Amino acid sequence: GLTKGILARWTKGFNCSGVVGEDVVQLLKDAIARRGDVQIDICAILNDTTGTLMSCAWKNHNCRIGLIVCTGSNACYVERVENCDLFDGPKSSPNIKQHVMINTEWGAFGDDGALDFVRTEYDREIDQHSINPGRQLQEKMISGMYMGELARLAIVRFTKAGLLFGGVGSDILFKRGQFFTKYVSEIESDKPGTYYNCREVLEELGLEHATDEDCANVRYICECVSSRAAHLVSAGIAALINKMDEPS
């Protein structure tokens, strides 16, 4: 309902007890009542993709997709009511076409094995060490919560194989979660052939002995991780555009 939502499962880094299977709106109302010092009337529960689409469509009526690529990843799109089996609101008439916004929860795409053909050893390791193994598999290939760790796992593998840093790593590099996603952006923002940001990052990781060739290879790893994420998001957007089949 507009003010009712049952939590099916947590995603990203959240894992609080007593919420799964409960109405989150009622829990919030109860918490507000316990405080006793705020007056808030909850009029709707809204997914961030839906809010993004609505806020843009208010000014640009051609907007049809709301996209989040942040700590997590998700998208919603505009669908014809006649294509929505579970929708029990007003149906379209010959003169008026009714539409509804669909929250795809595409971060969970691949949970049924559909992405197994493209997942790597790094994806599988991240999933195994997450709080929700086997869930949100596409999100774990795309979003900011995981991108830095994907790069770190590849860097660690090539270091241990003697292909990076002369085979000499560092305690920080070998520690899970210490290669932040912001490092990927910083390293890629260096102008071609220069490694100022890359060297700063590697020094923070205790890798002062990195050569220019090491820097070039680390940058290439970051580019591979971020480009794949961009391609996966692009494929999802293309699928939604094809599904809507709008004239423009």
Side-chain angles (χ1 to χ4, degrees):
L2 196 57
T3 56
K4 184 176 182 180
I6 309 299
L7 182 70
R9 67 190 190 209
W10 288 106
T11 63
K12 299 191 281 288
F14 299 105
N15 193 15
C16 308
S17 61
V19 189
V20 173
E22 300 292 330
D23 177 6
V24 295
V25 176
Q26 189 58 51
L27 291 177
L28 179 57
K29 286 180 178 177
D30 295 344
I32 291 170
R34 286 195 301 272
R35 282 184 60 112
D37 61 348
V38 286
Q39 292 291 321
I40 298 174
D41 192 19
I42 302 169
C43 59
I45 178 170
L46 195 65
N47 185 266
D48 55 355
T49 59
T50 317
T52 300
L53 173 53
M54 287 172 63
S55 62
C56 184
W58 178 256
K59 289 187 175 181
N60 182 346
H61 294 181
N62 291 320
C63 184
R64 290 289 185 273
I65 294 175
L67 174 68
I68 299 292
V69 189
C70 197
T71 307
S73 181
N74 190 16
C76 73
Y77 74 104
V78 176
E79 182 60 272
R80 297 175 184 85
V81 164
E82 54 265 30
N83 293 334
C84 304
D85 294 341
L86 299 178
F87 185 69
D88 56 6
K91 302 298 182 184
S92 296
S93 65
N95 299 324
I96 301 175
K97 293 296 182 185
Q98 300 283 0
H99 293 82
V100 65
M101 280 182 279
I102 301 291
N103 168 21
T104 66
E105 289 295 338
W106 83 11
F109 181 58
D111 292 9
D112 60 353
L115 285 174
D116 286 356
F117 76 101
V118 77
R119 293 176 69 226
T120 67
E121 62 188 87
Y122 316 116
D123 298 308
R124 288 189 286 273
E125 184 165 346
I126 278 187
D127 182 48
Q128 288 165 8
H129 289 93
S130 69
I131 65 166
N132 54 348
R135 305 287 179 88
Q136 301 296 113
L137 296 185
Q138 174 165 268
E139 182 170 82
K140 290 170 182 171
M141 301 171 76
I142 290 174
S143 73
M145 185 166 181
Y146 309 99
M147 195 181 287
E149 182 65 7
L150 283 168
R152 188 193 72 86
L153 290 171
I155 292 168
V156 165
R157 178 189 170 184
F158 295 126
T159 301
K160 290 183 175 179
L163 300 170
L164 276 174
F165 315 124
V168 180
S170 69
D171 290 342
I172 303 176
L173 176 66
F174 294 144
K175 189 175 180 182
R176 197 174 306 281
Q178 291 303 298
F179 194 95
F180 308 123
T181 294
K182 69 173 185 175
Y183 290 165
V184 176
S185 302
E186 289 169 0
I187 288 169
E188 287 195 51
S189 68
D190 276 327
K191 292 179 180 177
T194 64
Y195 306 109
Y196 176 78
N197 290 329
C198 187
R199 286 198 174 281
E200 273 204 342
V201 168
L202 295 179
E203 284 173 12
E204 284 185 41
L205 296 172
L207 299 165
E208 296 88 350
H209 56 285
T211 65
D212 279 359
E213 186 179 15
D214 290 329
C215 289
N217 287 328
V218 167
R219 178 185 174 117
Y220 180 66
I221 289 170
C222 292
E223 288 172 345
C224 288
V225 170
S226 61
S227 295
R228 184 187 70 158
H231 292 154
L232 285 167
V233 171
S234 301
I237 293 170
L240 294 183
I241 291 171
N242 291 337
K243 176 74 172 69
M244 289 186 292
D245 195 26
E246 294 281 349
S248 66

